[in-house]
Each structure stands twice: as structure tokens, then as C-alpha cells.
Amino acid sequence: MWAILCLVALSDLAWALTRSPGVYQLTSPIDHGEGPTWDPRKGVLYYVDIHSGTILSYEHCSGKTHSISLYGDVTPILPSKNEKLFYVGLNRSLVALEWDGKNNVGKQTILATVSPEYPHSRFNDGKTDKRGRLWIGTMGYENASGVQPDEGILYQFTKENHEKPTPIIAPVNISNGLAWNKKNDKFYYIDTPTQKVVQYDYDDEKGEIKNKKVIFDLKDQIHVTGYPDGMTIDEDDNLWIALYMGGAIIKVNPVTGKLLQVVAIPAQAVTSLTWGGPKLDILYVTTSRYPFSSEERKRQPAAGALFAVTDLGTRGLPAFEADILNEPLKLK
Ligand SMILES: *[C@@H]1O[C@H](CO)[C@@H](O)[C@H](O)[C@H]1NC(C)=O
Ligand SMILES: *[C@@H]1O[C@H](CO)[C@@H](O)[C@H](O)[C@H]1NC(C)=O
Ligand SMILES: *[C@@H]1O[C@H](CO)[C@@H](O)[C@H](O)[C@H]1NC(C)=O
């Protein structure tokens, strides 16, 4: 029985691998790349280098990058309906920031500061839903011994509550990848140390989730290792997940829980991924060198670079634009 199941799983994998994706290093390494998001209006990928406070833009056509720096840990960066207005997580504050996408910063203001009970926690991964609300999670204080447990919270920011966002999931350890399916009735979520991907039923009108169900557990897998980090979804409703310390991205069918494809990335700490390019068929992948000693960095010279993965035989759906302010930005 086991042999038959295993053969089926392996043949699925082999079939997918015959399409041989291309993996390309696009930039030189940064410390801790994260939070890629594609803006089709400009043909630009935004991402961050968390601990240096840097927000970067990568131009798809020219291959050029630009960056600005803020004072603190920065992630995520979420584009809005206004091309020059971004929502940025800075430590545990949400900042509205005017930026030309290159080197010029305009007005900026703090909209909210969350989790006063965990003063050393910080924002981590976040995403915009179909109605323009922001879902951004936090994680506990992190040092060389690890992350303070149970200090993370997933928050939702709306037009009505953006000064005091609603906690949606608490507690978590490291709030990370999130995605909604095409029908917009399922929400997928990763709390990294659990090594699991969970699914909730999603009510888009109310912005509510319920009925938590584990759909994928990395501990049950024999082909892959590491910790699930950032996540995105494709037009066929399959999940794509970055494996931190796993040196790969994976494709998972959330309905069957099956591992469909593994693409190796030449960097062990793979942090996140998103669809981009003019046809939304390039998977942009961020990586990190932050956890590695100088010895390990020599062995993995590409750790921390931005990568593009092509020829995956599928593509993504456009990201949604944030919409949580009723009036133009005022300086506070
Ligand atoms: C973010 O936190 C760091 C470390 O605690 C601190 O030095 C920095 O000033 C903070 N940034 C802001 C904008 O509060
Ligand atoms: C990390 O922080 C915890 C909690 O504050 C502390 O107990 C521990 O000693 C720290 N470890 C290091 C290596 O600084
Ligand atoms: C967070 O991690 C701690 C320590 O590993 C564990 O005891 C706790 O159950 C975790 N919390 C959640 C919400 O998974």
C-alpha cells in the first residue's frame, strides 16, 4: 500500500520536474531580503532588507535597483491605490510613506503602533486583501538564542480601524506567509516554527476567518526540509512556499495536501516569493545571509540575492492595492 502511494507521489514530482524551470540570480546579496511585491503599473518589484531598514525597487526591464532607508526594522512594503503612497511596517509601527519608487521620499506618518505589551516585537510578513485591507503579522523579540515565543499577532487594518487594528490570530510565534484563493473563500497562513500551512474558511465581506485546518506539514515530507516562510498562490490555486533553511521553493496543492514540485534555489535561507513580470509568470524569490557565519557565507556566495524562477507552467494573479485611508495623507 505504502509503495503504491509513494510511487504515485514520485511520479507526480517527476512529471513536474520535466518542465525544468530556470533559476536566475538578479542582484548582488543583501543581508535579509524579504517581502517581495510586484507593481504592474510600473513594472517594478519592491522588497526589503529588514534589519538595515532598506526598501528596494527592482526594475524588471532595466534590471536596475534603487533603495531608500528608514530607521528601524522594515517589512512589509505594500503599494496602494495611489502609485506614490506605500504602507510600510517599521518596527511595530505602520507608516504611510510617499516614495517615487527610486531615491526620493516625500511625506511620512505613523498610522498605528501595535502590540504595546510586546515592546521588542516587530512587524513581519503582510499582504493586502481584495477589499484593500492590510493583513500584517508580528513576531517576538529575536536574538541569537531564538525568538521570544507567543509574542506574535496577525492584525487587520481597515479604513475604519487603521489606528487600532483588529487582532485576527493570536498568539503566534513568527507570523509569515499568507494567501487567499481565487474564489476568495479560503485563507492560507504560516506561523513559521510550526512548520505547517493552515487553511481557514474566509468571509471576504466581514474580513473574518474560521475553521482552522492543517493542510500541509513539512515534518511529514521526505523530499524537503526547513521552515515554511513566505507564500503565494498561482492561477490554478496551488500554493508556492519559500523554505527557510530548506534551500528551495515548493508547490503544494492545498486541496489534496500534495507536494507537487520542488525548485532548488542556490541559497539555503529562502525567505519569500511573489509572481511578477509583464505576464505574471516569473516567480521572484528573496533570500537571506543573515543567519550565516562568514565561513558559511563563503560557501553560499549568492545568499541574500534576489532570484527569478521562470518556466513554471503557471502564473500568478495581480496583487491588490491597499486602500485604508479615507483622505489624503496628512503629516502628523
Ligand atoms: C526601531 O527599533 C530600533 C531598535 O530598538 C530603534 O533603534 C529605532 O529607533 C526604532 N525605530 C523607530 C522609528 O522607532
Ligand atoms: C535573548 O533574549 C532572551 C530574552 O530576553 C534572554 O534570556 C537571552 O539571554 C538572550 N540571548 C542572547 C544570546 O542574547
Ligand atoms: C511558540 O513556541 C513555543 C516554544 O517552542 C511553543 O511552546 C508554543 O506552543 C508556540 N506557540 C504557538 C502559537 O504555536
Side-chain angles (χ1 to χ4, degrees):
M1 183 62 185
W2 182 86
I4 292 167
L5 284 176
C6 188
L7 277 176
V8 171
L10 282 175
S11 64
D12 273 356
L13 204 60
W15 176 79
L17 285 172
T18 56
R19 284 189 275 174
S20 57
V23 178
Y24 305 92
Q25 181 181 345
L26 300 179
T27 65
S28 50
I30 53 175
D31 177 58
H32 194 70
E34 257 286 6
T37 179
W38 172 256
D39 189 338
R41 296 167 295 190
K42 292 185 178 169
V44 161
L45 182 86
Y46 302 110
Y47 62 113
V48 298
D49 183 6
I50 295 185
H51 305 298
S52 70
T54 309
I55 305 174
L56 302 101
S57 63
Y58 172 84
E59 294 177 5
H60 168 78
C61 286
S62 68
K64 278 190 192 142
T65 53
H66 304 276
S67 66
I68 54 166
S69 288
L70 307 178
Y71 294 100
D73 284 347
V74 54
T75 192
I77 160 101
L78 300 170
S80 79
K81 284 209 178 311
N82 169 351
E83 262 182 54
K84 287 192 175 157
L85 178 69
F86 297 83
Y87 296 100
V88 174
L90 180 62
N91 290 351
R92 52 191 176 85
S93 296
L94 182 70
V95 175
L97 171 83
E98 287 179 345
W99 177 36
D100 66 357
K102 296 194 168 164
N103 310 102
N104 300 305
V105 176
K107 285 191 243 175
Q108 48 180 302
T109 190
I110 293 180
L111 298 176
T113 298
V114 302
S115 298
E117 64 277 39
Y118 306 125
H120 299 293
S121 65
R122 66 158 171 92
F123 276 127
N124 202 37
D125 212 348
K127 219 163 251 182
T128 304
D129 73 19
K130 197 171 181 178
R131 291 179 184 244
R133 295 174 294 224
L134 311 187
W135 299 58
I136 311 179
T138 64
M139 58 180 275
Y141 171 67
E142 182 182 30
N143 65 13
S145 347
V147 173
Q148 279 293 104
D150 293 325
E151 290 191 352
I153 298 173
L154 176 65
Y155 290 98
Q156 183 192 66
F157 295 81
T158 68
K159 275 189 175 163
E160 291 71 36
N161 79 358
H162 64 254
E163 294 187 350
K164 202 173 185 309
T166 310
I168 300 284
I169 305 176
V172 297
N173 277 325
I174 303 181
S175 189
N176 244 318
L178 50 174
W180 291 266
N181 66 345
K182 206 147 105 181
K183 214 172 138 196
N184 212 20
D185 63 357
K186 298 280 187 245
F187 173 67
Y188 302 105
Y189 181 66
I190 291 170
D191 178 1
T192 290
T194 64
Q195 291 184 284
K196 296 181 175 88
V197 181
V198 295
Q199 169 192 283
Y200 294 86
D201 292 326
Y202 177 60
D203 181 333
D204 180 53
E205 199 183 324
K206 296 186 184 142
E208 288 174 2
I209 58 172
K210 60 177 184 199
N211 301 332
K212 177 179 174 181
K213 181 183 159 193
V214 176
I215 52 142
F216 186 77
D217 190 337
L218 217 80
K219 291 191 284 296
D220 299 338
Q221 299 297 319
I222 51 172
H223 299 295
V224 287
T225 176
Y227 292 85
D229 196 328
M231 172 164 62
T232 189
I233 194 159
D234 65 29
E235 63 174 1
D236 310 313
D237 271 341
N238 290 311
L239 299 172
W240 291 83
I241 301 159
L243 297 185
Y244 193 74
M245 304 317 266
I249 59 170
I250 55 172
K251 176 182 183 179
V252 170
N253 180 330
V255 180
T256 61
K258 261 194 189 172
L259 176 66
L260 299 179
Q261 190 170 0
V262 181
V263 181
I265 303 293
Q268 203 190 349
V270 186
T271 52
S272 193
L273 70 187
T274 200
W275 295 100
K279 296 183 195 154
L280 283 178
D281 60 352
I282 300 170
L283 206 44
Y284 286 105
V285 178
T286 53
T287 66
S288 172
R289 66 181 176 200
Y290 171 72
F292 302 129
S293 67
S294 49
E295 280 300 296
E296 284 170 316
R297 288 176 191 195
K298 275 182 209 144
R299 282 197 293 270
Q300 304 186 46
L306 174 71
F307 293 88
V309 183
T310 62
D311 301 296
L312 290 166
T314 183
R315 58 194 203 129
L317 300 164
F320 301 113
E321 291 160 4
D323 187 18
I324 59 162
L325 287 180
N326 284 311
E327 30 188 294
L329 185 59
K330 285 193 204 111
L331 268 178
K332 271 190 201 163

